[in-house]
Amino acid sequence: MAVEHPPAAAPGDQTRIHNIGYRSYDGPRLGRSYATRSLYSQSLRGAYGLGRSIKSKVLPMLLFAVMCVPAAIMVAVAVATKAHALPVAYTRYAIIMQSVICLYVASQAPQSVSRDLRFKTVPLYFSRPIETADYVRAKYAALASAMFILTAAPLVVLYVGALLAKLDFADQTKGFAEGLVSVALLSLLFAGIGLVIASVTPRRGFGIAAVIAVLIVSYGAVSTLQAIAYNQGSTSAIPWIGLFSPVTLIDGVQSAFLGATPALPGGHGPSTGQGVVYVLLTLGLIAAAYGLLLRRYKKVGL
Amino acid sequence: MPGQLCGLTTGVVRVTIVEGVTVIATESLSKRFPRVTALDRLSVDVGPGVTGLVGANGAGKSTLIKILLGLSPASEGRAEVLGLDVATKGADIRERVGYMPEHDCLPPDVSATEFVVHMARMSGLPPTAARERTADTLRHVGLYEERYRPIGGYSTGMKQRVKLAQALVHDPQLVFLDEPTNGLDPVGRDEMLGLIRRIHTDFGISVLVTSHLLGELERTCDHVVVIDGGKLLRSSSTTDFTQTTTTLAIEVTDSDEHPDGTRAVRETLHARGVEVADGSDGLPGAGHILLLTAQGEETYDLVRDVVADLGLGLVRMEQRRHHISEVFKNEEEQRKEAVGHGS
Ligand SMILES: Nc1ncnc2c1ncn2[C@@H]1O[C@H](COP(=O)(O)OP(=O)(O)O)[C@@H](O)[C@H]1O
Ligand SMILES: [Mg+2]
């Protein structure tokens, strides 16, 4: 077999570059943390369909638009009518739009991890310098970031609009900041729950259904129970029931500490003591999700 | 020039491979799963070049690769890859080696370019270098315009090339190719084997390639390691192997002086210390064929001279290649027998 061993191309000789043989690589190899960051950015882009087929872009982009349009309309109305306040509080926006957020995490968590499992790309990653924990961190951070973009973008629209409408700067900034903290927590919690569920099923359809069930069905069940408790006059039980669904959990945290009005029947928000339980449970769930993901991927191997 | 800026040295093919350096070394390496022993005290040294790892399904080939990548701890024994201990230097090993898994590993909805660039970055290559090396590598494995289309629409052969490209994109010193010819038709198989040969000759990268088909590796590999049930059956260079295993089939005419020419030749050769077997294989009319093991050119000369001295005509003298498996099986049996007799 004739093997081409072309002489080294003269520097600057561009025409040679296309017909020379194999070129070895002597450049930098940036190692594990760079690879982890690359996986993070690839996964974050993937959560909006970037770098994937047109079809994969439709749903996330559509949901992003659906999240932002109401905020834009509210802002337009506030500016036009010279209103003295935005129609909804920053902390309330995500609660109102919860079904859009749930749809997003239900579609993108499986996209992020089930695909790697189903197409067996995971073993390929672990044949690279990264370790299991790097993979989990990159995937978790990417989905949480994608959800933060989804939930914070409309808040930015509201905030910019509020400033354009010349609403009180200090007031608005405080509300905006509280809203950002709340959606950051929500993003971490929802991304964790979504990923844990998606990581146990390589079948994307199951993943989507299971995430929707956990997020939306649990909210429905909790709300119903709270309404029953309210009607029967046992209002003290209402905040405790709220601990059992992710949406009401975030609602409780922000009612207790982030100046939000609780979305509970009769406005029965948690007390400060109960609020601490809410925060601890939220953080505990986020940590548990991370721990479960680590355990899950330890088993994947090759 | 742009190539140099991102660390690509132009046109220099690495031909400087230090002979005699060990690329992979295992020492009494065992891997036990609850129900099976996948590797059983395997000690083998592999040098630079193309090495075939041959064994039936379940022989422990993939298990060995996983251990060598530092992804699965050995139950016992030790192993080094490129001088690095697999137990402690897994990440360093994985930065220097490439891996092509036996199973599918490609997402269907991204293009080959997109995928290989991503895998290059996962190996630590900066973005510009990742893109340049992806373009180069895909061209080297023979993917051109189609590299911008989603992988889902590729043929098996094209998918295997993408899998190979992602294993080579970061210019490793060594690649593990796990059953790269699986699922390919004969033409695709030959093309893949040719590519594997080039990985060493053109790219200067050592290769460990597995197959359960024993025959196909002998053309491609410099060295073949055969394992069975996790045990080393044989490790030898393919040139040795070809010499010791070429069987000569000869057929001679009879003459008045030697009415049974076949028998005369057998006896004469036997007297000269050459074992000759009967090649009849139980087939009628095949009783005139003699089989002997060729040790090199001398054997051919000897046969020619013996036949000429006896005044017989040589009807045929041809090489019969044994299937690798047969040869190894036979040797194994002989060894077992020898051990049995010894005890
Ligand atoms: N993770 C595992 N758990 C249990 N047994 C395994 C595992 N991986 C491989 N084995 C067993 O180890 C043996 C060797 O498998 P493998 O290395 O995949 O063989 P090959 O690649 O040569 O076909 C087989 O009997 C297989 O069933
Ligand atoms: Mg295998």
Coordinates of all heavy atoms in Angstrom, one line a residue, chain A residues 3 5-6 11-12 14 17 20-31 34-35 38-39 42 45 51-53 56 115 119-121 124-131 302, chain B residues 1-2 6-7 9 11 13 15 66 71 94-95 99 101 103-109 114-115 118-119 121-127 129 133 136 140 166 170-171 202-203 205:
Chain A
V3 N 1.9 4.8 0.8 CA 1.5 5.7 1.9 C 2.2 7.0 1.6 O 3.3 7.1 1.3 CB 2.1 5.1 3.2 CG1 1.9 6.2 4.3 CG2 1.4 3.8 3.6
H5 N 3.8 10.3 2.4 CA 4.5 11.0 3.5 C 5.0 12.3 2.9 O 6.2 12.5 2.5 CB 5.8 10.2 3.9 CG 5.4 9.0 4.7 ND1 5.0 9.0 6.1 CD2 5.2 7.7 4.4 CE1 4.7 7.8 6.5 NE2 4.8 7.0 5.5
P6 N 4.1 13.2 2.7 CA 4.5 14.5 2.0 C 5.5 15.3 2.9 O 5.4 15.2 4.1 CB 3.2 15.2 1.9 CG 2.3 14.7 3.0 CD 2.8 13.3 3.2
P11 N 5.8 27.1 5.3 CA 4.9 28.0 6.0 C 4.3 29.0 5.1 O 4.9 29.6 4.2 CB 5.8 28.7 7.0 CG 7.0 27.8 7.2 CD 7.2 27.1 5.8
G12 N 3.0 29.2 5.2 CA 2.3 30.2 4.4 C 1.8 29.6 3.1 O 1.1 30.3 2.4
Q14 N -0.7 28.0 1.5 CA -2.0 27.6 1.8 C -2.5 26.5 0.9 O -3.3 25.7 1.4 CB -3.0 28.8 1.6 CG -2.8 29.9 2.6 CD -3.3 29.5 4.0 OE1 -4.3 28.9 4.1 NE2 -2.6 29.9 5.1
I17 N -2.1 22.8 2.2 CA -2.8 22.4 3.4 C -3.9 21.3 3.0 O -4.1 20.4 3.8 CB -3.5 23.6 4.1 CG1 -2.4 24.3 4.8 CG2 -4.5 23.1 5.2 CD1 -2.8 25.5 5.6
I20 N -2.2 17.6 2.1 CA -1.2 16.9 2.9 C -1.8 15.8 3.7 O -3.0 15.7 3.8 CB -0.5 17.9 3.9 CG1 -1.6 18.5 4.8 CG2 0.3 18.9 3.2 CD1 -1.0 19.5 5.8
G21 N -1.0 14.9 4.2 CA -1.5 13.8 4.9 C -1.9 14.1 6.3 O -2.3 15.2 6.6
Y22 N -1.8 13.1 7.2 CA -2.2 13.3 8.6 C -1.4 14.3 9.3 O -0.2 14.4 9.2 CB -2.1 12.0 9.3 CG -2.7 12.0 10.6 CD1 -4.1 11.9 10.8 CD2 -1.9 12.1 11.8 CE1 -4.7 12.0 12.1 CE2 -2.5 12.1 13.0 CZ -3.8 12.1 13.2 OH -4.4 12.1 14.4
R23 N -2.0 15.2 10.0 CA -1.3 16.2 10.8 C -1.5 15.8 12.3 O -2.6 15.6 12.7 CB -1.9 17.6 10.6 CG -1.7 18.0 9.1 CD -2.1 19.5 8.9 NE -3.5 19.7 9.0 CZ -4.1 20.9 9.0 NH1 -3.4 22.0 8.8 NH2 -5.4 21.0 9.0
S24 N -0.4 15.8 13.0 CA -0.6 15.5 14.4 C -0.9 16.8 15.2 O -0.8 17.9 14.6 CB 0.7 14.8 15.0 OG 1.8 15.7 14.7
Y25 N -1.3 16.6 16.4 CA -1.7 17.8 17.2 C -0.8 17.9 18.4 O -0.7 17.0 19.2 CB -3.2 17.5 17.7 CG -3.7 18.6 18.6 CD1 -4.0 19.9 18.1 CD2 -3.7 18.4 20.0 CE1 -4.5 20.9 18.9 CE2 -4.2 19.4 20.8 CZ -4.6 20.7 20.3 OH -5.0 21.7 21.1
D26 N -0.2 19.1 18.4 CA 0.7 19.3 19.5 C 0.3 20.5 20.4 O 1.0 21.0 21.2 CB 2.2 19.7 19.0 CG 2.6 18.7 18.0 OD1 2.4 17.5 18.3 OD2 3.2 19.1 17.0
G27 N -1.0 20.9 20.1 CA -1.5 22.1 20.9 C -1.9 21.7 22.3 O -1.7 20.6 22.7
P28 N -2.5 22.7 23.0 CA -2.9 22.4 24.4 C -4.0 21.4 24.5 O -4.8 21.3 23.6 CB -3.3 23.8 24.8 CG -3.7 24.5 23.6 CD -2.8 24.0 22.5
R29 N -4.0 20.7 25.6 CA -5.1 19.8 25.9 C -5.6 20.3 27.3 O -4.9 20.3 28.3 CB -4.6 18.3 26.1 CG -4.3 17.8 24.7 CD -3.6 16.4 24.8 NE -3.0 16.1 23.5 CZ -3.6 15.3 22.6 NH1 -4.8 14.9 22.8 NH2 -3.0 15.1 21.4
L30 N -6.8 20.8 27.3 CA -7.3 21.6 28.4 C -7.9 20.9 29.5 O -8.2 21.4 30.5 CB -8.2 22.7 27.9 CG -7.6 23.6 26.8 CD1 -8.6 24.6 26.2 CD2 -6.3 24.3 27.2
G31 N -8.0 19.6 29.4 CA -8.3 18.7 30.5 C -9.8 18.7 31.0 O -10.7 19.2 30.3
Y34 N -12.2 22.0 31.6 CA -12.6 22.6 30.3 C -13.6 21.7 29.6 O -14.6 22.1 29.1 CB -11.4 22.8 29.4 CG -11.7 23.0 27.9 CD1 -12.1 24.3 27.5 CD2 -11.7 21.9 27.0 CE1 -12.4 24.5 26.1 CE2 -12.0 22.1 25.7 CZ -12.3 23.4 25.2 OH -12.6 23.6 23.9
A35 N -13.4 20.4 29.7 CA -14.3 19.4 29.1 C -15.7 19.5 29.7 O -16.7 19.5 29.1 CB -13.8 18.0 29.2
S38 N -17.4 22.5 28.5 CA -17.8 22.3 27.1 C -19.1 21.6 27.1 O -20.1 21.9 26.4 CB -16.8 21.5 26.3 OG -15.6 22.3 26.2
L39 N -19.2 20.6 28.0 CA -20.5 19.8 28.1 C -21.6 20.7 28.6 O -22.7 20.6 28.1 CB -20.3 18.6 29.0 CG -21.5 17.6 29.2 CD1 -21.9 17.1 27.9 CD2 -21.1 16.5 30.2
Q42 N -22.7 23.0 25.7 CA -23.4 22.2 24.7 C -24.8 21.8 25.2 O -25.7 21.9 24.4 CB -22.5 20.9 24.4 CG -23.0 20.2 23.2 CD -23.7 18.9 23.5 OE1 -23.9 18.6 24.7 NE2 -24.0 18.1 22.5
R45 N -27.0 25.0 25.3 CA -27.5 25.3 23.9 C -28.5 24.3 23.4 O -29.5 24.7 22.8 CB -26.3 25.3 22.9 CG -25.4 26.5 23.0 CD -24.0 26.2 22.4 NE -24.0 25.4 21.2 CZ -24.2 25.8 19.9 NH1 -24.3 27.0 19.7 NH2 -24.3 24.9 19.0
G51 N -27.7 23.9 17.7 CA -26.8 22.8 17.4 C -27.5 21.5 17.1 O -26.9 20.5 16.9
R52 N -28.8 21.5 17.1 CA -29.6 20.3 16.8 C -30.5 20.7 15.6 O -30.5 21.8 15.1 CB -30.3 19.8 18.0 CG -29.4 19.4 19.1 CD -30.1 19.1 20.4 NE -31.2 18.2 20.3 CZ -32.4 18.3 20.9 NH1 -32.6 19.3 21.7 NH2 -33.3 17.5 20.7
S53 N -31.4 19.7 15.3 CA -32.2 19.9 14.1 C -33.3 21.0 14.3 O -33.6 21.4 15.5 CB -32.9 18.6 13.7 OG -33.7 18.2 14.8
S56 N -36.0 20.3 16.7 CA -35.7 20.3 18.1 C -35.8 21.7 18.7 O -35.9 21.9 19.9 CB -34.3 19.8 18.4 OG -34.0 18.7 17.6
R115 N -31.6 11.2 26.0 CA -31.0 11.0 24.7 C -29.6 10.3 24.9 O -29.3 9.4 24.2 CB -30.8 12.3 24.0 CG -32.1 12.9 23.4 CD -31.8 14.2 22.9 NE -31.1 14.2 21.6 CZ -29.9 14.7 21.4 NH1 -29.2 15.2 22.4 NH2 -29.4 14.6 20.2
F119 N -29.2 6.7 23.3 CA -28.2 6.6 22.1 C -26.9 6.1 22.6 O -25.9 6.1 21.9 CB -28.2 7.8 21.3 CG -29.5 8.3 20.8 CD1 -30.0 9.6 21.1 CD2 -30.3 7.4 20.1 CE1 -31.2 10.0 20.6 CE2 -31.6 7.8 19.7 CZ -32.0 9.1 19.9
K120 N -26.7 5.8 23.9 CA -25.5 5.3 24.5 C -24.3 6.2 24.3 O -23.2 5.7 24.1 CB -25.2 3.9 24.0 CG -26.3 2.9 24.2 CD -25.8 1.5 24.5 CE -26.9 0.5 24.7 NZ -27.4 -0.1 23.4
T121 N -24.6 7.5 24.4 CA -23.5 8.4 24.3 C -22.7 8.6 25.6 O -21.6 9.0 25.6 CB -24.0 9.8 23.8 OG1 -25.0 9.6 22.9 CG2 -22.9 10.6 23.1
L124 N -19.4 7.1 26.0 CA -18.4 7.8 25.2 C -17.8 9.0 26.0 O -16.6 9.3 25.9 CB -19.1 8.3 23.9 CG -18.3 8.3 22.7 CD1 -17.6 7.0 22.4 CD2 -19.2 8.7 21.5
Y125 N -18.7 9.6 26.7 CA -18.2 10.7 27.6 C -17.2 10.2 28.6 O -16.2 10.9 28.9 CB -19.4 11.4 28.3 CG -20.2 12.3 27.4 CD1 -21.6 12.2 27.4 CD2 -19.6 13.2 26.5 CE1 -22.4 13.0 26.5 CE2 -20.4 14.0 25.7 CZ -21.8 13.9 25.7 OH -22.5 14.7 24.9
F126 N -17.6 9.1 29.2 CA -16.7 8.6 30.3 C -15.4 8.0 29.8 O -14.6 7.6 30.5 CB -17.5 7.6 31.2 CG -18.6 8.3 31.9 CD1 -19.8 7.6 32.3 CD2 -18.6 9.7 32.2 CE1 -20.8 8.3 32.9 CE2 -19.6 10.3 32.9 CZ -20.7 9.6 33.2
S127 N -15.3 7.8 28.4 CA -14.0 7.4 27.9 C -13.1 8.6 27.7 O -12.0 8.5 27.2 CB -14.2 6.7 26.6 OG -14.5 7.6 25.5
R128 N -13.6 9.8 28.0 CA -12.9 11.1 28.0 C -12.4 11.4 29.4 O -12.8 10.7 30.4 CB -13.8 12.2 27.6 CG -13.9 12.5 26.1 CD -13.9 11.4 25.1 NE -13.5 11.9 23.8 CZ -13.7 11.2 22.7 NH1 -14.3 10.1 22.7 NH2 -13.3 11.7 21.5
P129 N -11.6 12.4 29.6 CA -11.1 12.7 30.9 C -12.1 13.0 32.0 O -11.9 12.8 33.2 CB -10.2 13.9 30.8 CG -9.8 13.9 29.3 CD -10.9 13.3 28.6
I130 N -13.4 13.3 31.6 CA -14.3 13.7 32.7 C -14.8 12.5 33.5 O -14.7 11.4 33.1 CB -15.6 14.4 32.1 CG1 -16.4 13.5 31.3 CG2 -15.2 15.7 31.4 CD1 -17.8 14.0 31.1
E131 N -15.2 12.8 34.7 CA -15.7 11.8 35.7 C -17.2 11.9 35.8 O -17.8 12.8 35.3 CB -15.1 12.0 37.1 CG -13.6 12.1 37.1 CD -12.9 10.8 37.1 OE1 -13.5 9.8 37.6 OE2 -11.7 10.7 36.7
L302 N -19.7 1.7 31.3 CA -19.6 1.6 29.8 C -20.7 0.7 29.3 O -20.8 -0.4 29.7 CB -18.2 1.0 29.4 CG -17.1 2.0 29.3 CD1 -16.0 1.5 28.5 CD2 -17.5 3.4 28.8
Chain B
M1 N 1.2 30.9 10.2 CA 0.1 30.3 9.4 C -1.0 29.8 10.4 O -0.8 29.5 11.5 CB 0.6 29.2 8.5 CG 1.1 28.0 9.2 SD 1.7 26.8 8.0 CE 0.2 26.4 7.2
P2 N -2.3 29.8 9.9 CA -3.4 29.5 10.8 C -3.2 28.2 11.5 O -3.5 28.0 12.6 CB -4.6 29.6 9.9 CG -4.1 29.6 8.5 CD -2.7 30.0 8.5
C6 N -3.2 27.2 16.1 CA -4.1 26.3 17.0 C -3.4 25.0 17.2 O -4.1 24.0 17.6 CB -5.5 26.2 16.5 SG -5.5 25.6 14.8
G7 N -2.1 24.9 17.0 CA -1.4 23.8 17.5 C -1.3 22.6 16.5 O -1.0 21.5 16.9
T9 N 0.5 20.9 13.7 CA 1.8 20.9 12.9 C 1.5 20.4 11.5 O 0.8 19.4 11.4 CB 2.9 20.1 13.6 OG1 2.3 18.8 13.9 CG2 3.3 20.7 14.9
G11 N 1.9 18.7 8.0 CA 2.6 17.8 7.1 C 3.6 16.9 7.7 O 4.2 16.1 7.0
V13 N 4.5 13.7 9.4 CA 3.9 12.5 9.8 C 4.8 11.8 10.8 O 6.0 11.8 10.6 CB 3.7 11.5 8.6 CG1 3.2 10.2 9.0 CG2 2.7 12.1 7.6
V15 N 6.8 9.3 12.3 CA 7.2 8.0 11.9 C 8.2 7.4 13.0 O 8.7 6.3 12.9 CB 8.0 8.0 10.5 CG1 6.9 8.0 9.4 CG2 8.9 9.1 10.4
K66 N -12.3 -1.8 29.0 CA -12.8 -0.9 30.1 C -11.8 -0.8 31.2 O -11.7 0.3 31.8 CB -14.1 -1.5 30.6 CG -15.3 -1.2 29.7 CD -16.5 -2.0 30.1 CE -17.3 -2.4 28.9 NZ -18.4 -3.3 29.2
L71 N -11.8 2.6 33.7 CA -13.2 2.9 34.0 C -13.8 1.8 34.9 O -14.9 2.0 35.5 CB -14.0 2.9 32.7 CG -13.7 4.1 31.8 CD1 -14.4 4.0 30.5 CD2 -14.1 5.4 32.5
R94 N -7.1 8.5 29.6 CA -8.2 8.8 28.7 C -7.9 10.0 27.9 O -8.5 10.2 26.8 CB -9.5 8.9 29.5 CG -9.9 7.6 30.1 CD -11.3 7.6 30.6 NE -11.5 8.5 31.7 CZ -11.3 8.2 32.9 NH1 -10.9 7.0 33.3 NH2 -11.6 9.1 33.9
E95 N -7.0 10.9 28.3 CA -6.7 12.1 27.5 C -5.8 11.7 26.4 O -5.8 12.3 25.3 CB -5.9 13.1 28.4 CG -5.9 14.5 27.9 CD -5.4 15.5 28.9 OE1 -4.2 15.5 29.1 OE2 -6.3 16.2 29.5
Y99 N -11.2 5.9 22.0 CA -12.0 4.7 22.2 C -13.2 4.6 21.3 O -14.0 5.6 21.2 CB -12.5 4.6 23.7 CG -13.6 3.6 24.0 CD1 -13.4 2.3 23.8 CD2 -14.8 4.0 24.5 CE1 -14.4 1.3 24.1 CE2 -15.8 3.1 24.8 CZ -15.6 1.8 24.6 OH -16.6 0.9 24.9
P101 N -16.5 2.5 20.8 CA -17.2 1.4 21.5 C -17.8 0.4 20.4 O -17.9 0.7 19.3 CB -18.3 2.1 22.2 CG -18.4 3.5 21.7 CD -17.2 3.7 20.9
H103 N -20.9 -0.8 20.6 CA -22.3 -0.5 20.4 C -22.5 0.8 19.7 O -21.5 1.6 19.6 CB -23.0 -0.6 21.7 CG -22.4 0.3 22.7 ND1 -22.4 1.7 22.6 CD2 -21.7 0.1 23.9 CE1 -21.8 2.2 23.7 NE2 -21.3 1.3 24.4
D104 N -23.7 1.1 19.3 CA -24.0 2.4 18.7 C -23.8 3.5 19.8 O -24.1 3.2 21.0 CB -25.5 2.5 18.3 CG -25.7 1.7 17.0 OD1 -24.7 1.5 16.3 OD2 -26.8 1.2 16.8
C105 N -23.4 4.6 19.4 CA -23.2 5.7 20.4 C -23.5 7.0 19.9 O -23.1 8.0 20.4 CB -21.8 5.6 21.0 SG -20.5 5.8 19.8
L106 N -24.2 7.1 18.7 CA -24.3 8.4 18.0 C -25.8 8.9 18.1 O -26.7 8.2 17.8 CB -24.0 8.2 16.5 CG -22.6 7.6 16.3 CD1 -22.4 7.3 14.8 CD2 -21.5 8.5 16.7
P107 N -25.9 10.2 18.5 CA -27.2 10.8 18.5 C -27.7 11.0 17.1 O -26.9 11.5 16.3 CB -27.0 12.1 19.3 CG -25.6 12.4 19.1 CD -24.9 11.1 19.0
P108 N -28.9 10.6 16.7 CA -29.3 10.7 15.3 C -29.6 12.1 14.8 O -29.5 12.4 13.6 CB -30.5 9.9 15.2 CG -31.1 9.8 16.6 CD -29.9 10.0 17.5
D109 N -29.9 13.0 15.7 CA -30.4 14.3 15.2 C -29.3 15.4 15.2 O -29.6 16.6 15.1 CB -31.5 14.8 16.1 CG -31.1 14.9 17.6 OD1 -30.0 14.4 17.9 OD2 -31.9 15.5 18.4
E114 N -20.9 18.4 13.9 CA -21.3 18.9 15.2 C -20.9 17.9 16.3 O -20.4 18.3 17.3 CB -22.9 19.0 15.2 CG -23.5 19.7 16.3 CD -23.5 21.2 16.2 OE1 -23.7 21.7 15.1 OE2 -23.3 21.9 17.2
F115 N -21.2 16.6 16.1 CA -20.9 15.6 17.1 C -19.4 15.4 17.3 O -18.9 15.4 18.5 CB -21.5 14.3 16.6 CG -21.3 13.2 17.6 CD1 -22.0 13.1 18.8 CD2 -20.3 12.2 17.4 CE1 -21.8 12.1 19.8 CE2 -20.1 11.1 18.3 CZ -20.8 11.1 19.5
H118 N -17.8 18.3 19.2 CA -18.2 18.3 20.6 C -17.3 17.2 21.3 O -16.7 17.5 22.4 CB -19.6 17.9 20.7 CG -20.1 17.7 22.1 ND1 -19.9 18.6 23.1 CD2 -20.7 16.6 22.7 CE1 -20.4 18.2 24.3 NE2 -20.9 17.0 24.1
M119 N -17.1 16.1 20.7 CA -16.3 15.1 21.3 C -14.8 15.5 21.4 O -14.1 15.1 22.3 CB -16.4 13.7 20.6 CG -17.7 13.0 20.7 SD -18.5 13.1 22.4 CE -17.4 12.1 23.3
R121 N -13.8 18.6 21.9 CA -13.8 19.5 23.0 C -13.9 18.7 24.3 O -13.2 19.0 25.3 CB -14.9 20.5 23.0 CG -14.8 21.4 21.7 CD -15.8 22.4 21.6 NE -15.7 23.3 22.8 CZ -16.4 24.4 23.0 NH1 -17.1 24.9 22.0 NH2 -16.3 25.1 24.1
M122 N -14.6 17.6 24.3 CA -14.7 16.8 25.5 C -13.3 16.1 25.8 O -13.1 15.6 26.9 CB -15.8 15.7 25.3 CG -17.2 16.2 25.3 SD -17.7 17.2 26.6 CE -17.6 15.9 28.0
S123 N -12.5 16.1 24.8 CA -11.1 15.5 25.0 C -10.1 16.6 25.4 O -8.9 16.4 25.5 CB -10.6 14.8 23.8 OG -11.5 13.7 23.5
G124 N -10.6 17.9 25.5 CA -9.8 18.9 25.9 C -9.2 19.8 24.8 O -8.4 20.7 25.1
L125 N -9.7 19.6 23.6 CA -9.2 20.5 22.5 C -9.9 21.8 22.5 O -11.1 21.9 22.6 CB -9.4 19.8 21.1 CG -8.2 19.1 20.6 CD1 -7.7 18.0 21.5 CD2 -8.5 18.5 19.2
P126 N -9.1 22.9 22.4 CA -9.8 24.3 22.3 C -10.7 24.4 21.1 O -10.5 23.6 20.1 CB -8.6 25.2 22.2 CG -7.4 24.4 22.6 CD -7.7 23.0 22.3
P127 N -11.7 25.3 21.1 CA -12.7 25.3 20.1 C -12.1 25.3 18.6 O -12.6 24.6 17.8 CB -13.5 26.6 20.4 CG -13.3 26.8 21.8 CD -11.9 26.2 22.2
A129 N -9.1 24.5 17.4 CA -8.5 23.2 17.1 C -9.5 22.1 16.9 O -9.3 21.2 16.0 CB -7.5 22.9 18.2
R133 N -9.5 20.0 13.5 CA -9.2 18.6 13.6 C -10.4 17.7 13.2 O -10.2 16.6 12.6 CB -8.7 18.2 14.9 CG -7.2 18.6 15.1 CD -6.5 17.6 16.0 NE -6.7 16.2 15.7 CZ -5.8 15.5 14.9 NH1 -4.7 16.0 14.4 NH2 -6.1 14.2 14.7
D136 N -10.4 17.6 9.4 CA -9.3 16.7 8.9 C -9.7 15.3 9.1 O -9.6 14.5 8.2 CB -8.1 17.0 9.8 CG -7.2 18.1 9.2 OD1 -7.7 18.8 8.3 OD2 -6.0 18.2 9.6
H140 N -10.2 12.1 6.6 CA -9.3 10.9 6.7 C -10.1 9.6 6.8 O -9.7 8.6 6.2 CB -8.4 11.0 7.9 CG -7.2 11.9 7.6 ND1 -6.3 11.7 6.6 CD2 -6.8 13.0 8.3 CE1 -5.4 12.7 6.6 NE2 -5.6 13.5 7.6
Q166 N -14.5 10.1 16.0 CA -14.5 10.6 17.3 C -13.4 10.0 18.2 O -13.0 10.6 19.1 CB -15.9 10.6 17.9 CG -16.4 9.2 18.2 CD -15.8 8.5 19.5 OE1 -15.4 9.3 20.4 NE2 -15.6 7.2 19.5
H170 N -8.8 13.7 18.7 CA -7.9 14.4 19.5 C -6.4 13.9 19.4 O -5.6 14.2 20.2 CB -8.3 14.3 21.0 CG -8.5 12.9 21.5 ND1 -9.4 12.0 20.9 CD2 -8.0 12.2 22.4 CE1 -9.4 10.9 21.5 NE2 -8.5 10.9 22.4
D171 N -6.2 13.2 18.3 CA -4.8 12.7 18.0 C -4.2 11.9 19.1 O -3.2 12.3 19.7 CB -3.9 13.9 17.6 CG -2.6 13.3 17.0 OD1 -2.5 12.2 16.5 OD2 -1.5 14.0 17.2
D202 N -0.1 5.6 8.5 CA -0.1 7.0 8.1 C -0.2 8.0 9.3 O 0.3 9.1 9.3 CB -1.4 7.3 7.3 CG -1.3 6.6 5.9 OD1 -0.4 5.8 5.8 OD2 -2.0 7.0 5.0
F203 N -0.9 7.6 10.4 CA -1.2 8.6 11.5 C -0.2 8.3 12.6 O -0.1 9.1 13.5 CB -2.6 8.4 12.0 CG -3.7 8.5 11.0 CD1 -5.0 8.3 11.4 CD2 -3.5 8.8 9.7 CE1 -6.1 8.3 10.5 CE2 -4.5 8.9 8.7 CZ -5.8 8.6 9.1
I205 N -0.5 6.1 15.0 CA -1.2 5.9 16.2 C -1.3 4.3 16.4 O -1.6 3.6 15.5 CB -2.6 6.4 16.1 CG1 -2.6 8.0 16.0 CG2 -3.5 6.0 17.3 CD1 -3.9 8.6 15.7

